[in-house]
Coordinates of all heavy atoms in Angstrom, one line a residue:
M12 N 13.3 1.8 4.3 CA 13.7 0.7 3.4 C 14.8 -0.1 3.9 O 15.5 0.3 4.8 CB 14.1 1.4 2.1 CG 13.1 2.2 1.4 SD 11.5 1.4 1.0 CE 12.0 0.2 -0.2
I13 N 14.8 -1.4 3.5 CA 15.7 -2.4 4.0 C 16.6 -2.9 2.9 O 16.1 -3.1 1.8 CB 14.9 -3.6 4.5 CG1 13.9 -3.1 5.6 CG2 15.8 -4.7 5.1 CD1 12.8 -4.2 5.9
D14 N 17.9 -3.0 3.1 CA 18.8 -3.5 2.1 C 18.7 -5.0 2.0 O 18.0 -5.7 2.7 CB 20.2 -3.0 2.3 CG 20.9 -3.7 3.5 OD1 20.5 -4.8 3.9 OD2 21.9 -3.1 4.0
R15 N 19.2 -5.5 0.9 CA 19.2 -6.9 0.6 C 19.6 -7.9 1.7 O 18.8 -8.8 2.1 CB 20.0 -7.2 -0.6 CG 19.9 -8.7 -1.1 CD 20.8 -8.9 -2.4 NE 20.7 -10.2 -2.8 CZ 19.9 -10.6 -3.8 NH1 19.0 -9.8 -4.3 NH2 19.9 -11.9 -4.1
Q16 N 20.7 -7.6 2.4 CA 21.1 -8.5 3.5 C 20.2 -8.4 4.6 O 19.9 -9.5 5.2 CB 22.6 -8.0 3.9 CG 23.6 -8.5 3.0 CD 23.6 -10.0 2.8 OE1 23.3 -10.5 1.7 NE2 23.8 -10.8 3.8
Q17 N 19.8 -7.3 5.0 CA 18.8 -7.2 6.1 C 17.5 -7.9 5.8 O 16.9 -8.6 6.6 CB 18.5 -5.7 6.5 CG 19.6 -4.9 7.1 CD 19.3 -3.5 7.2 OE1 18.6 -2.9 6.3 NE2 19.7 -2.9 8.3
F18 N 17.1 -7.7 4.5 CA 15.9 -8.4 4.1 C 16.0 -9.9 4.1 O 15.1 -10.6 4.7 CB 15.5 -8.0 2.6 CG 14.3 -8.7 2.1 CD1 13.0 -8.2 2.4 CD2 14.4 -9.8 1.3 CE1 11.9 -8.9 2.0 CE2 13.3 -10.5 0.9 CZ 12.0 -10.0 1.1
L19 N 17.1 -10.5 3.7 CA 17.3 -11.9 3.8 C 17.3 -12.4 5.2 O 16.7 -13.4 5.5 CB 18.7 -12.3 3.2 CG 18.7 -12.2 1.6 CD1 20.2 -12.3 1.1 CD2 17.8 -13.2 1.0
M20 N 17.9 -11.7 6.1 CA 17.8 -12.0 7.6 C 16.5 -12.0 8.2 O 16.0 -12.9 8.8 CB 18.8 -11.2 8.3 CG 20.3 -11.5 8.0 SD 21.5 -10.7 9.1 CE 20.7 -9.2 9.7
R21 N 15.8 -10.9 7.9 CA 14.5 -10.7 8.5 C 13.4 -11.6 7.9 O 12.5 -12.1 8.6 CB 14.0 -9.2 8.2 CG 15.0 -8.2 8.8 CD 14.4 -7.2 9.7 NE 13.0 -7.0 10.0 CZ 12.3 -5.9 9.6 NH1 12.9 -4.9 9.0 NH2 11.0 -5.8 9.9
A22 N 13.5 -11.9 6.6 CA 12.5 -12.8 6.0 C 13.0 -14.3 6.1 O 12.2 -15.2 5.7 CB 12.4 -12.5 4.5
R23 N 14.1 -14.5 6.7 CA 14.7 -15.9 6.8 C 14.8 -16.7 5.5 O 14.2 -17.7 5.4 CB 14.0 -16.6 7.9 CG 14.1 -16.0 9.3 CD 13.3 -16.7 10.3 NE 11.9 -16.5 10.1 CZ 10.9 -17.2 10.6 NH1 11.2 -18.1 11.4 NH2 9.7 -16.9 10.3
L24 N 15.4 -16.0 4.5 CA 15.5 -16.6 3.2 C 16.9 -16.7 2.8 O 17.8 -16.0 3.2 CB 14.8 -15.7 2.2 CG 13.3 -15.5 2.2 CD1 12.9 -14.5 1.1 CD2 12.6 -16.8 2.0
E25 N 17.2 -17.7 1.9 CA 18.4 -17.8 1.3 C 18.5 -17.0 0.0 O 17.4 -16.7 -0.6 CB 18.6 -19.3 0.8 CG 18.7 -20.3 2.0 CD 19.9 -20.1 2.9 OE1 21.0 -19.7 2.4 OE2 19.8 -20.4 4.1
A26 N 19.7 -16.5 -0.4 CA 19.8 -15.6 -1.5 C 19.2 -16.3 -2.8 O 18.5 -15.5 -3.6 CB 21.2 -15.2 -1.8
H27 N 19.4 -17.5 -3.0 CA 18.9 -18.2 -4.3 C 17.4 -18.2 -4.2 O 16.7 -18.1 -5.3 CB 19.5 -19.6 -4.5 CG 19.1 -20.5 -3.4 ND1 18.0 -21.3 -3.5 CD2 19.7 -20.9 -2.2 CE1 17.9 -22.1 -2.4 NE2 19.0 -21.8 -1.6
T28 N 16.8 -18.4 -3.1 CA 15.4 -18.3 -3.0 C 14.8 -17.0 -3.3 O 13.8 -16.9 -4.1 CB 14.9 -18.8 -1.6 OG1 15.4 -20.1 -1.3 CG2 13.3 -18.7 -1.5
L29 N 15.5 -15.9 -2.7 CA 15.0 -14.6 -3.1 C 15.2 -14.3 -4.6 O 14.2 -13.7 -5.2 CB 15.9 -13.6 -2.3 CG 15.6 -12.1 -2.6 CD1 14.2 -11.7 -2.4 CD2 16.6 -11.2 -1.8
E30 N 16.2 -14.8 -5.2 CA 16.4 -14.5 -6.7 C 15.2 -15.2 -7.4 O 14.7 -14.6 -8.4 CB 17.7 -15.1 -7.1 CG 18.9 -14.3 -6.7 CD 18.8 -12.8 -7.1 OE1 18.5 -12.6 -8.3 OE2 19.2 -12.0 -6.3
A31 N 14.9 -16.4 -7.0 CA 13.8 -17.1 -7.7 C 12.5 -16.4 -7.5 O 11.7 -16.2 -8.5 CB 13.7 -18.6 -7.2
W32 N 12.2 -15.9 -6.3 CA 10.9 -15.2 -6.1 C 10.9 -13.8 -6.8 O 9.9 -13.4 -7.3 CB 10.7 -15.0 -4.6 CG 10.5 -16.3 -3.9 CD1 10.5 -17.5 -4.4 CD2 10.3 -16.4 -2.5 NE1 10.2 -18.5 -3.4 CE2 10.1 -17.8 -2.3 CE3 10.2 -15.6 -1.4 CZ2 9.8 -18.4 -1.0 CZ3 9.9 -16.1 -0.1 CH2 9.7 -17.5 0.0
I33 N 12.1 -13.2 -7.0 CA 12.1 -12.0 -7.7 C 11.9 -12.3 -9.3 O 11.1 -11.6 -9.9 CB 13.5 -11.2 -7.6 CG1 13.5 -10.7 -6.1 CG2 13.6 -10.1 -8.6 CD1 14.9 -10.1 -5.8
E34 N 12.5 -13.4 -9.7 CA 12.3 -13.8 -11.1 C 10.8 -14.1 -11.4 O 10.3 -13.8 -12.5 CB 13.1 -15.0 -11.4 CG 13.2 -15.4 -12.9 CD 14.1 -16.5 -13.2 OE1 15.3 -16.4 -12.7 OE2 13.8 -17.4 -13.9
E35 N 10.1 -14.7 -10.4 CA 8.7 -15.0 -10.6 C 7.8 -13.8 -10.4 O 6.6 -13.8 -10.6 CB 8.3 -16.1 -9.5 CG 8.8 -17.4 -9.7 CD 8.2 -18.1 -10.9 OE1 7.1 -17.8 -11.3 OE2 8.9 -19.0 -11.5
E36 N 8.4 -12.6 -10.0 CA 7.8 -11.4 -9.7 C 6.9 -11.5 -8.5 O 5.9 -10.8 -8.4 CB 7.1 -10.8 -10.9 CG 8.1 -10.5 -12.0 CD 7.4 -9.8 -13.2 OE1 6.1 -9.9 -13.3 OE2 8.2 -9.3 -14.0
W37 N 7.1 -12.4 -7.6 CA 6.4 -12.5 -6.3 C 6.8 -11.4 -5.4 O 6.1 -10.9 -4.5 CB 6.6 -13.9 -5.7 CG 6.1 -15.0 -6.4 CD1 5.3 -15.0 -7.5 CD2 6.3 -16.4 -6.1 NE1 4.9 -16.3 -7.9 CE2 5.6 -17.1 -7.1 CE3 7.0 -17.1 -5.2 CZ2 5.6 -18.5 -7.1 CZ3 7.1 -18.4 -5.2 CH2 6.4 -19.2 -6.2
L38 N 8.1 -11.0 -5.5 CA 8.7 -9.9 -4.8 C 9.3 -8.9 -5.9 O 10.0 -9.4 -6.8 CB 9.8 -10.3 -3.8 CG 9.3 -11.1 -2.6 CD1 10.5 -11.7 -1.9 CD2 8.4 -10.3 -1.7
I39 N 9.0 -7.6 -5.7 CA 9.6 -6.7 -6.7 C 10.3 -5.6 -5.8 O 9.7 -4.7 -5.4 CB 8.5 -6.1 -7.6 CG1 7.8 -7.2 -8.3 CG2 9.1 -5.1 -8.6 CD1 6.6 -6.8 -9.2
P40 N 11.6 -5.7 -5.7 CA 12.3 -4.7 -4.9 C 12.5 -3.4 -5.7 O 12.3 -3.3 -6.9 CB 13.7 -5.3 -4.7 CG 13.9 -6.2 -5.9 CD 12.5 -6.7 -6.2
R41 N 12.6 -2.3 -4.9 CA 12.9 -1.0 -5.5 C 14.4 -1.0 -5.9 O 15.2 -1.4 -5.1 CB 12.7 0.1 -4.5 CG 11.1 0.3 -4.3 CD 10.9 1.6 -3.7 NE 9.4 1.7 -3.5 CZ 8.8 2.0 -2.4 NH1 9.5 2.3 -1.3 NH2 7.5 2.1 -2.3
R42 N 14.7 -0.6 -7.1 CA 16.0 -0.7 -7.6 C 16.5 0.8 -7.9 O 15.8 1.5 -8.5 CB 16.2 -1.5 -8.8 CG 15.9 -2.9 -8.6 CD 16.1 -3.7 -9.9 NE 15.6 -5.0 -9.8 CZ 16.2 -6.1 -9.5 NH1 17.5 -6.0 -9.1 NH2 15.7 -7.3 -9.4
E43 N 17.7 1.1 -7.3 CA 18.3 2.3 -7.6 C 19.8 2.0 -8.0 O 20.6 1.6 -7.1 CB 18.3 3.2 -6.4 CG 18.3 4.7 -6.7 CD 18.1 5.5 -5.5 OE1 16.9 5.5 -4.9 OE2 19.0 6.2 -5.0
G44 N 20.0 2.0 -9.3 CA 21.3 1.6 -9.7 C 21.4 0.1 -9.5 O 20.6 -0.7 -10.0
E45 N 22.5 -0.3 -8.8 CA 22.7 -1.8 -8.5 C 22.0 -2.2 -7.2 O 21.9 -3.4 -7.0 CB 24.2 -2.0 -8.5 CG 24.9 -1.9 -9.8 CD 24.5 -2.9 -10.8 OE1 24.4 -4.1 -10.5 OE2 24.2 -2.6 -12.0
A46 N 21.6 -1.2 -6.4 CA 21.1 -1.5 -5.1 C 19.6 -1.9 -5.2 O 18.9 -1.4 -6.0 CB 21.3 -0.3 -4.2
E47 N 19.3 -2.9 -4.4 CA 17.9 -3.3 -4.2 C 17.4 -3.0 -2.8 O 18.2 -3.2 -1.8 CB 17.7 -4.8 -4.3 CG 18.0 -5.3 -5.7 CD 18.0 -6.8 -5.7 OE1 18.3 -7.5 -4.8 OE2 17.6 -7.4 -6.8
D48 N 16.3 -2.3 -2.7 CA 15.7 -2.0 -1.4 C 14.4 -2.7 -1.2 O 13.6 -2.8 -2.2 CB 15.6 -0.5 -1.2 CG 16.9 0.2 -1.0 OD1 17.8 -0.4 -0.4 OD2 17.0 1.3 -1.6
F49 N 14.1 -3.1 0.0 CA 12.8 -3.8 0.2 C 12.1 -3.0 1.4 O 12.7 -2.4 2.2 CB 13.1 -5.2 0.8 CG 13.8 -6.0 -0.3 CD1 15.1 -6.1 -0.5 CD2 13.0 -6.8 -1.2 CE1 15.8 -6.8 -1.4 CE2 13.6 -7.6 -2.2 CZ 15.0 -7.6 -2.3
S50 N 10.7 -3.2 1.4 CA 9.9 -2.5 2.4 C 9.5 -3.6 3.4 O 9.7 -4.8 3.3 CB 8.7 -1.9 1.8 OG 7.9 -3.0 1.3
E51 N 8.9 -3.1 4.5 CA 8.3 -3.9 5.5 C 7.2 -4.8 4.9 O 7.0 -6.0 5.3 CB 7.7 -3.1 6.7 CG 8.7 -2.4 7.5 CD 9.7 -3.4 8.3 OE1 9.2 -4.4 8.7 OE2 10.8 -3.0 8.4
T52 N 6.5 -4.3 3.9 CA 5.5 -5.1 3.2 C 6.1 -6.2 2.5 O 5.6 -7.3 2.5 CB 4.7 -4.2 2.2 OG1 4.1 -3.1 3.0 CG2 3.6 -4.9 1.5
D53 N 7.3 -6.0 1.9 CA 8.0 -7.1 1.2 C 8.4 -8.2 2.2 O 8.4 -9.4 1.8 CB 9.3 -6.5 0.5 CG 9.0 -5.6 -0.6 OD1 8.0 -5.8 -1.4 OD2 9.8 -4.6 -0.8
V54 N 8.8 -7.8 3.4 CA 9.2 -8.8 4.4 C 7.9 -9.6 4.7 O 8.0 -10.9 4.7 CB 9.7 -8.1 5.7 CG1 9.9 -9.2 6.8 CG2 11.0 -7.4 5.4
A55 N 6.8 -9.0 5.0 CA 5.6 -9.7 5.3 C 5.2 -10.6 4.1 O 4.7 -11.8 4.3 CB 4.4 -8.7 5.6
R56 N 5.3 -10.1 2.9 CA 4.9 -10.9 1.7 C 5.9 -12.1 1.6 O 5.4 -13.3 1.3 CB 5.0 -10.0 0.5 CG 4.4 -10.6 -0.8 CD 4.5 -9.6 -1.9 NE 4.1 -10.1 -3.2 CZ 2.9 -10.0 -3.7 NH1 2.0 -9.4 -3.0 NH2 2.6 -10.5 -4.8
A57 N 7.2 -11.9 1.8 CA 8.1 -13.1 1.8 C 7.8 -14.1 2.8 O 7.8 -15.3 2.6 CB 9.5 -12.6 2.0
Q58 N 7.4 -13.6 4.1 CA 7.0 -14.6 5.1 C 5.8 -15.3 4.7 O 5.7 -16.5 5.0 CB 6.9 -13.8 6.4 CG 8.2 -13.3 7.0 CD 8.0 -12.4 8.2 OE1 7.0 -11.8 8.3 NE2 9.1 -12.1 8.9
L59 N 4.8 -14.7 4.1 CA 3.6 -15.3 3.6 C 3.9 -16.4 2.6 O 3.5 -17.5 2.7 CB 2.6 -14.3 3.0 CG 1.4 -14.9 2.3 CD1 0.5 -15.7 3.3 CD2 0.6 -13.9 1.6
I60 N 4.8 -16.0 1.6 CA 5.2 -17.0 0.6 C 5.8 -18.2 1.2 O 5.5 -19.4 0.9 CB 6.1 -16.3 -0.5 CG1 5.3 -15.2 -1.2 CG2 6.6 -17.4 -1.4 CD1 6.3 -14.3 -2.0
R61 N 6.8 -17.9 2.1 CA 7.5 -19.1 2.8 C 6.5 -19.9 3.5 O 6.6 -21.2 3.4 CB 8.6 -18.5 3.7 CG 9.5 -19.6 4.3 CD 10.4 -19.0 5.3 NE 9.6 -18.6 6.5 CZ 9.6 -17.4 7.0 NH1 10.3 -16.5 6.5 NH2 8.8 -17.2 8.1
D62 N 5.6 -19.4 4.3 CA 4.6 -20.1 5.0 C 3.7 -20.9 4.1 O 3.4 -22.1 4.4 CB 3.7 -19.2 5.9 CG 4.4 -18.6 7.0 OD1 5.6 -19.1 7.4 OD2 3.9 -17.7 7.7
L63 N 3.3 -20.3 3.0 CA 2.4 -21.1 2.0 C 3.2 -22.2 1.5 O 2.6 -23.4 1.4 CB 2.0 -20.1 0.8 CG 1.0 -19.1 1.1 CD1 0.9 -18.1 0.0 CD2 -0.4 -19.7 1.4
K64 N 4.4 -22.1 1.1 CA 5.2 -23.2 0.5 C 5.6 -24.2 1.5 O 5.5 -25.4 1.2 CB 6.4 -22.6 -0.2 CG 6.0 -21.8 -1.5 CD 7.2 -21.2 -2.2 CE 8.1 -22.2 -2.9 NZ 7.4 -23.1 -3.8
T65 N 6.1 -23.9 2.7 CA 6.7 -24.8 3.6 C 5.7 -25.4 4.5 O 5.6 -26.6 4.8 CB 7.9 -24.2 4.3 OG1 7.5 -23.1 5.1 CG2 9.0 -23.8 3.4
D66 N 4.9 -24.5 5.1 CA 3.9 -25.0 6.2 C 2.7 -25.6 5.6 O 2.2 -26.6 6.1 CB 3.5 -23.8 7.1 CG 4.7 -23.3 7.9 OD1 5.7 -24.0 7.9 OD2 4.5 -22.2 8.5
I67 N 2.2 -25.0 4.5 CA 0.9 -25.5 3.9 C 1.2 -26.4 2.7 O 0.3 -27.2 2.4 CB 0.0 -24.3 3.5 CG1 -0.2 -23.5 4.8 CG2 -1.3 -24.7 2.9 CD1 -0.9 -22.1 4.6
G68 N 2.3 -26.3 2.0 CA 2.7 -27.2 0.9 C 2.1 -26.7 -0.4 O 1.8 -27.5 -1.3
V69 N 1.9 -25.4 -0.5 CA 1.3 -24.8 -1.7 C 2.4 -24.8 -2.8 O 3.5 -24.5 -2.6 CB 0.8 -23.4 -1.5 CG1 0.3 -22.7 -2.8 CG2 -0.3 -23.4 -0.5
N70 N 2.0 -25.3 -4.1 CA 2.9 -25.3 -5.2 C 3.1 -23.9 -5.8 O 2.4 -23.0 -5.5 CB 2.5 -26.3 -6.2 CG 1.3 -26.0 -6.9 OD1 0.8 -24.9 -7.1 ND2 0.6 -27.1 -7.4
D71 N 4.1 -23.7 -6.6 CA 4.4 -22.4 -7.2 C 3.3 -21.8 -8.0 O 3.0 -20.6 -7.9 CB 5.6 -22.5 -8.1 CG 6.9 -22.7 -7.3 OD1 6.9 -22.7 -6.1 OD2 8.0 -22.9 -8.0
E72 N 2.5 -22.6 -8.8 CA 1.4 -22.1 -9.5 C 0.4 -21.5 -8.6 O -0.2 -20.4 -8.8 CB 0.8 -23.2 -10.4 CG 1.7 -23.6 -11.5 CD 2.8 -24.6 -11.1 OE1 2.6 -25.2 -10.0 OE2 3.8 -24.7 -11.8
A73 N 0.1 -22.2 -7.5 CA -1.0 -21.8 -6.5 C -0.5 -20.5 -5.8 O -1.2 -19.6 -5.5 CB -1.3 -22.9 -5.6
V74 N 0.9 -20.4 -5.5 CA 1.3 -19.3 -4.8 C 1.1 -18.1 -5.7 O 0.6 -17.0 -5.2 CB 2.9 -19.4 -4.5 CG1 3.5 -18.1 -4.1 CG2 3.1 -20.5 -3.5
A75 N 1.4 -18.2 -7.0 CA 1.1 -17.0 -7.9 C -0.3 -16.6 -7.9 O -0.6 -15.4 -7.9 CB 1.6 -17.4 -9.3
V76 N -1.2 -17.6 -7.9 CA -2.7 -17.3 -7.9 C -3.0 -16.6 -6.5 O -3.7 -15.6 -6.5 CB -3.5 -18.5 -8.1 CG1 -5.0 -18.3 -7.8 CG2 -3.3 -19.1 -9.5
I77 N -2.6 -17.1 -5.5 CA -2.9 -16.5 -4.1 C -2.4 -15.1 -4.0 O -3.1 -14.3 -3.6 CB -2.3 -17.4 -3.0 CG1 -3.0 -18.8 -3.0 CG2 -2.3 -16.7 -1.6 CD1 -2.4 -19.8 -2.1
L78 N -1.1 -14.9 -4.5 CA -0.5 -13.5 -4.4 C -1.4 -12.6 -5.3 O -1.6 -11.5 -4.9 CB 0.9 -13.6 -4.8 CG 1.9 -14.3 -3.8 CD1 3.3 -14.3 -4.4 CD2 1.8 -13.6 -2.5
H79 N -1.8 -13.1 -6.5 CA -2.6 -12.2 -7.4 C -3.9 -11.9 -6.7 O -4.3 -10.7 -6.8 CB -2.8 -13.0 -8.7 CG -3.7 -12.2 -9.7 ND1 -3.2 -11.1 -10.3 CD2 -5.0 -12.4 -10.1 CE1 -4.2 -10.6 -11.1 NE2 -5.2 -11.4 -11.0
L80 N -4.5 -12.8 -6.1 CA -5.8 -12.5 -5.4 C -5.6 -11.6 -4.2 O -6.4 -10.6 -4.0 CB -6.5 -13.8 -4.9 CG -6.9 -14.8 -6.0 CD1 -7.4 -16.1 -5.5 CD2 -8.1 -14.1 -6.8
I81 N -4.5 -11.7 -3.5 CA -4.3 -10.8 -2.3 C -4.0 -9.4 -2.9 O -4.5 -8.5 -2.4 CB -3.0 -11.3 -1.5 CG1 -3.5 -12.5 -0.7 CG2 -2.6 -10.2 -0.6 CD1 -2.4 -13.3 -0.1
D82 N -3.3 -9.3 -4.0 CA -3.0 -8.0 -4.6 C -4.3 -7.3 -5.0 O -4.5 -6.1 -4.9 CB -2.0 -8.1 -5.8 CG -0.6 -8.5 -5.3 OD1 -0.3 -8.3 -4.1 OD2 0.2 -8.9 -6.2
Q83 N -5.2 -8.1 -5.6 CA -6.5 -7.6 -6.1 C -7.3 -7.2 -4.9 O -7.9 -6.1 -4.9 CB -7.3 -8.7 -6.9 CG -6.8 -8.8 -8.2 CD -7.7 -9.8 -9.0 OE1 -8.3 -10.8 -8.3 NE2 -7.9 -9.6 -10.3
L84 N -7.3 -7.9 -3.8 CA -8.1 -7.6 -2.6 C -7.5 -6.3 -2.0 O -8.3 -5.3 -1.7 CB -8.0 -8.7 -1.6 CG -8.6 -8.4 -0.2 CD1 -10.2 -8.3 -0.4 CD2 -8.4 -9.6 0.7
H85 N -6.2 -6.1 -1.9 CA -5.7 -4.9 -1.4 C -6.0 -3.7 -2.3 O -6.3 -2.6 -1.8 CB -4.1 -5.0 -1.2 CG -3.8 -5.7 0.0 ND1 -4.0 -5.3 1.3 CD2 -3.2 -7.0 0.1 CE1 -3.5 -6.2 2.1 NE2 -3.1 -7.3 1.4
G86 N -6.0 -3.9 -3.7 CA -6.4 -2.8 -4.6 C -7.8 -2.4 -4.4 O -8.2 -1.2 -4.4
L87 N -8.7 -3.4 -4.2 CA -10.1 -3.1 -4.0 C -10.3 -2.3 -2.7 O -11.1 -1.4 -2.6 CB -10.9 -4.4 -4.0 CG -11.1 -5.0 -5.4 CD1 -11.7 -6.4 -5.2 CD2 -11.8 -4.2 -6.3
R88 N -9.5 -2.7 -1.6 CA -9.6 -2.0 -0.4 C -9.2 -0.6 -0.5 O -9.9 0.3 0.0 CB -8.7 -2.7 0.7 CG -9.3 -3.9 1.3 CD -8.5 -4.4 2.4 NE -8.5 -3.5 3.5 CZ -7.6 -3.5 4.5 NH1 -6.6 -4.4 4.5 NH2 -7.7 -2.7 5.5
R89 N -8.1 -0.3 -1.3 CA -7.7 1.1 -1.5 C -8.8 1.8 -2.3 O -9.1 3.0 -1.9 CB -6.4 1.1 -2.3 CG -5.2 0.8 -1.4 CD -3.9 1.1 -2.1 NE -3.7 0.3 -3.3 CZ -3.2 -0.9 -3.3 NH1 -2.7 -1.4 -2.2 NH2 -3.0 -1.6 -4.4
T90 N -9.4 1.2 -3.2 CA -10.4 1.9 -4.0 C -11.6 2.2 -3.2 O -12.2 3.3 -3.2 CB -10.8 1.0 -5.2 OG1 -9.7 0.8 -6.1 CG2 -11.9 1.6 -6.0
L91 N -12.0 1.3 -2.3 CA -13.2 1.5 -1.4 C -12.9 2.5 -0.5 O -13.7 3.5 -0.2 CB -13.5 0.1 -0.7 CG -14.7 0.3 0.3 CD1 -16.0 0.7 -0.5 CD2 -14.9 -1.1 1.0
Q92 N -11.7 2.6 0.1 CA -11.4 3.6 1.1 C -11.4 5.0 0.4 O -11.9 6.0 1.0 CB -9.9 3.4 1.6 CG -9.9 2.3 2.6 CD -8.6 1.9 3.1 OE1 -7.5 2.1 2.4 NE2 -8.4 1.2 4.2
E93 N -10.9 5.1 -0.9 CA -11.0 6.4 -1.6 C -12.4 6.8 -1.9 O -12.7 8.0 -1.7 CB -10.2 6.2 -2.9 CG -10.2 7.5 -3.7 CD -9.5 8.7 -3.0 OE1 -8.7 8.5 -2.1 OE2 -9.9 9.8 -3.4
V94 N -13.3 5.8 -2.3 CA -14.6 6.2 -2.5 C -15.3 6.6 -1.3 O -16.1 7.7 -1.3 CB -15.4 4.9 -3.1 CG1 -16.9 5.1 -3.0 CG2 -14.9 4.7 -4.5
L95 N -15.1 6.0 -0.1 CA -15.6 6.4 1.1 C -15.1 7.8 1.6 O -15.9 8.5 2.1 CB -15.4 5.4 2.2 CG -16.1 4.0 2.1 CD1 -15.6 3.0 3.1 CD2 -17.6 4.2 2.2
R96 N -13.8 8.0 1.4 CA -13.3 9.3 1.7 C -13.9 10.4 0.9 O -14.3 11.5 1.4 CB -11.8 9.3 1.4 CG -11.1 10.6 1.9 CD -9.6 10.7 1.5 NE -9.5 10.9 0.0 CZ -9.8 12.0 -0.6 NH1 -10.2 13.1 0.0 NH2 -9.7 12.0 -1.9
Q97 N -14.1 10.2 -0.5 CA -14.7 11.1 -1.3 C -16.2 11.4 -0.9 O -16.7 12.5 -0.9 CB -14.7 10.7 -2.8 CG -13.3 10.8 -3.3 CD -13.1 10.3 -4.8 OE1 -14.2 9.9 -5.4 NE2 -11.9 10.3 -5.3
D98 N -16.9 10.3 -0.5 CA -18.2 10.4 -0.1 C -18.4 11.3 1.2 O -19.2 12.1 1.3 CB -18.9 9.1 0.2 CG -20.3 9.1 0.6 OD1 -21.1 9.7 -0.3 OD2 -20.7 8.6 1.6
R99 N -17.4 11.1 2.1 CA -17.4 11.9 3.3 C -17.2 13.4 3.0 O -17.8 14.2 3.7 CB -16.4 11.4 4.3 CG -16.8 10.1 5.0 CD -15.7 9.7 6.1 NE -16.0 8.3 6.4 CZ -15.1 7.3 6.2 NH1 -13.9 7.6 5.6 NH2 -15.4 6.1 6.5
V100 N -16.3 13.6 2.1 CA -16.0 15.0 1.7 C -17.3 15.6 1.1 O -17.6 16.8 1.4 CB -14.8 15.1 0.7 CG1 -14.7 16.5 0.1 CG2 -13.5 14.7 1.4
Q101 N -17.9 14.9 0.2 CA -19.1 15.5 -0.5 C -20.3 15.7 0.5 O -21.1 16.6 0.4 CB -19.5 14.5 -1.6 CG -18.5 14.6 -2.8 CD -18.9 13.6 -3.8 OE1 -19.8 12.8 -3.7 NE2 -18.2 13.6 -5.0
T102 N -20.5 14.8 1.5 CA -21.5 14.9 2.4 C -21.2 15.8 3.6 O -22.1 16.0 4.4 CB -22.0 13.5 2.9 OG1 -20.9 12.9 3.5 CG2 -22.6 12.6 1.8
G103 N -20.0 16.2 3.7 CA -19.6 17.1 4.8 C -19.4 16.3 6.2 O -19.5 17.0 7.2
E104 N -19.2 15.0 6.2 CA -19.0 14.3 7.4 C -17.6 14.4 7.9 O -16.6 14.6 7.2 CB -19.3 12.8 7.2 CG -20.8 12.6 7.1 CD -21.2 11.1 6.9 OE1 -20.4 10.3 7.4 OE2 -22.2 10.9 6.3

């Protein structure tokens, strides 16, 4: 896990930008008391958001849609992997 300061440096973000993205729920840090911790996945997600907004010019509404679709895709991949794993167990592969 990465603390807030390390996250800001690694994701190359300003604190106010991070706050806005957390408010939009584009990033959801793990909270323990007052501390916020971020994962490597959060860093990659922040870099994706930054690239979408700055390099491609995607607006906030479209960022939300893109992130939702990516989250759905990852959920479907996890489900498919679980189904395939169960199938292998049942067929003895």
Side-chain angles (χ1 to χ4, degrees):
M12 296 307 289
I13 304 166
D14 70 25
R15 183 184 179 91
Q16 280 308 114
Q17 290 174 320
F18 179 81
L19 288 169
M20 288 185 339
R21 301 233 352 244
R23 294 178 291 164
L24 293 178
E25 299 290 331
H27 65 90
T28 301
L29 176 59
E30 289 302 319
W32 293 1
I33 290 171
E34 188 173 313
E35 291 289 333
E36 296 183 346
W37 295 349
L38 294 170
I39 302 174
R41 290 195 178 129
R42 296 184 191 265
E43 208 170 294
E45 295 292 313
E47 293 176 329
D48 289 323
F49 298 87
S50 67
E51 292 295 328
T52 302
D53 293 324
V54 173
R56 188 174 177 99
Q58 291 169 341
L59 171 64
I60 296 166
R61 190 188 64 241
D62 291 347
L63 288 170
K64 291 179 70 59
T65 59
D66 295 347
I67 302 173
V69 174
N70 65 27
D71 288 354
E72 293 79 19
V74 168
V76 170
I77 291 166
L78 292 175
H79 178 71
L80 292 171
I81 289 171
D82 291 343
Q83 283 185 328
L84 179 62
H85 284 290
L87 290 171
R88 280 185 70 199
R89 280 190 301 273
T90 300
L91 179 58
Q92 288 171 340
E93 179 61 25
V94 167
L95 290 173
R96 187 191 67 74
Q97 289 175 3
D98 183 57
R99 285 186 196 113
V100 168
Q101 290 176 353
T102 60
E104 289 182 25

